Amino acid sequence: MLPFLFSCTTHYISQWQNYDKENVLADDGNLMMKNDTIGVSHAFNSTDGTVLVRIENYSQNPMLINLTKSALTINGKTFGYVDGKSTVRGWLDTFGSADGGQFGSFGGEIAGKTNTLFVPPHSYVEGSFANIQPEVRKIVGDGFQGNRVDYPLFDTPASTTLSFYEDTNSPMKLSSFINYSLIDEDNRPISTKVVNQNFYMSGFFEVKNMGNMELNRNLLTREDLGSYSISRGHGAGVVLFLAGLVGLVVVLADLVDEE
């Protein structure tokens, strides 16, 4: 257990604020872009860093979301909602030849990721896309300068290093573009439009003395927060544990010799 006693996990939590004037307050208390046809909201609290997007169809017609023509930008850098990668599943057989070379055969299938979403009338669809965690770590990092205070980020105050930002001085601005089409009974597009939503990082927090399970439980109630964690000290703990183990073996060996 010594490696764990000498380890420390630090959580870095980003807070996102939507600053579109057209936003409305949804039933769950979150801001969303909404008109007579479509409603779109974003959640940042997934454990893998992806953005959860919820799209609601209020119209009488089916709706088609074209993810290949949708994108998310961070400080002007574009990230697709789908990465275009495919997964190969199958098997590979190789055989030896007389001259020492090899040849073989492959059997299987290539599975591509969904690039369109079909939303029937008066229904909704949800999906997780675009991992923003690497960009947050690259831009803000884990060594940012903030103020150390007791701050109730969740239910109770806890010692936290934090920084707050306005939209004018935020280190990160994020925009989401969703391409959607209403389609008729023959699946032909009636109209095609783009919904644009804009966010900025309004706060960044460094939190210690909180377990992963507690953090994830807290994040379930805060869709405006994203996080990543860094553990340090495992190496030192392992070294001390091994040194103690070697010392114990030496002591036992001396006791055996004395007997």
Side-chain angles (χ1 to χ4, degrees):
M1 293 183 64
L2 281 176
F4 299 98
L5 294 177
F6 287 92
S7 66
C8 177
T9 299
T10 303
H11 306 292
Y12 296 94
I13 302 171
S14 56
Q15 184 174 28
W16 296 90
Q17 176 67 41
N18 192 310
Y19 60 106
D20 293 309
K21 296 180 180 179
E22 298 84 359
N23 279 336
V24 298
L25 194 64
D27 294 337
D28 58 3
N30 294 304
L31 290 174
M32 67 183 303
M33 180 72 72
K34 182 178 181 180
N35 55 40
D36 294 337
T37 303
I38 189 173
V40 181
S41 62
H42 296 68
F44 300 91
N45 58 345
S46 65
T47 57
D48 61 357
T50 57
V51 179
L52 177 65
V53 181
R54 177 187 173 103
I55 303 172
E56 302 181 29
N57 180 7
Y58 304 127
S59 74
Q60 302 293 333
N61 296 88
M63 181 180 293
L64 194 67
I65 311 299
N66 190 337
L67 294 175
T68 60
K69 294 183 179 180
S70 303
L72 183 147
T73 68
I74 298 178
N75 290 358
K77 182 180 178 180
T78 301
F79 299 83
Y81 274 114
V82 290
D83 56 18
K85 298 179 180 179
S86 298
T87 302
V88 178
R89 300 185 181 93
W91 60 92
L92 179 66
D93 294 323
T94 58
F95 309 92
S97 61
D99 58 1
Q102 288 187 329
F103 65 95
S105 63
F106 172 80
E109 61 181 11
I110 299 177
K113 296 180 181 178
T114 301
N115 54 21
T116 57
L117 300 173
F118 180 82
V119 191
H122 304 290
S123 63
Y124 69 92
V125 64
E126 292 179 334
S128 295
F129 311 97
N131 186 352
I132 67 172
Q133 186 184 103
E135 284 299 301
V136 177
R137 296 185 63 169
K138 183 170 69 174
I139 294 173
V140 185
D142 56 0
F144 84 105
Q145 301 297 315
N147 299 315
R148 193 74 180 178
V149 298
D150 286 338
Y151 181 75
L153 180 60
F154 299 111
D155 293 335
T156 57
S159 181
T160 307
T161 301
L162 56 81
S163 291
F164 290 109
Y165 310 100
E166 300 293 336
D167 60 325
T168 54
N169 67 343
S170 175
M172 294 188 66
K173 292 189 176 182
L174 184 151
S175 295
S176 173
F177 300 85
I178 303 294
N179 181 291
Y180 71 97
S181 300
L182 294 180
I183 56 179
D184 59 21
E185 62 274 8
D186 297 320
N187 289 328
R188 293 176 301 190
I190 300 173
S191 62
T192 299
K193 296 182 180 180
V194 174
V195 172
N196 173 222
Q197 287 179 279
N198 299 290
F199 304 84
Y200 70 95
M201 182 185 290
S202 59
F204 196 73
F205 311 89
E206 179 188 81
V207 179
K208 299 180 180 179
N209 302 320
M210 180 180 295
N212 289 325
M213 293 182 62
E214 181 182 0
L215 173 65
N216 293 335
R217 185 171 60 251
N218 288 327
L219 288 177
L220 288 176
T221 63
R222 295 290 303 272
E223 293 186 350
D224 61 325
L225 300 181
S227 71
Y228 61 89
S229 303
I230 296 178
S231 296
R232 299 180 177 89
H234 286 291
V238 171
V239 171
L240 290 173
F241 173 75
L242 293 177
L245 185 61
V246 171
L248 179 61
V249 170
V250 171
V251 171
L252 292 176
D254 290 340
L255 292 175
V256 171
D257 291 340
E258 291 177 0
E259 292 177 357

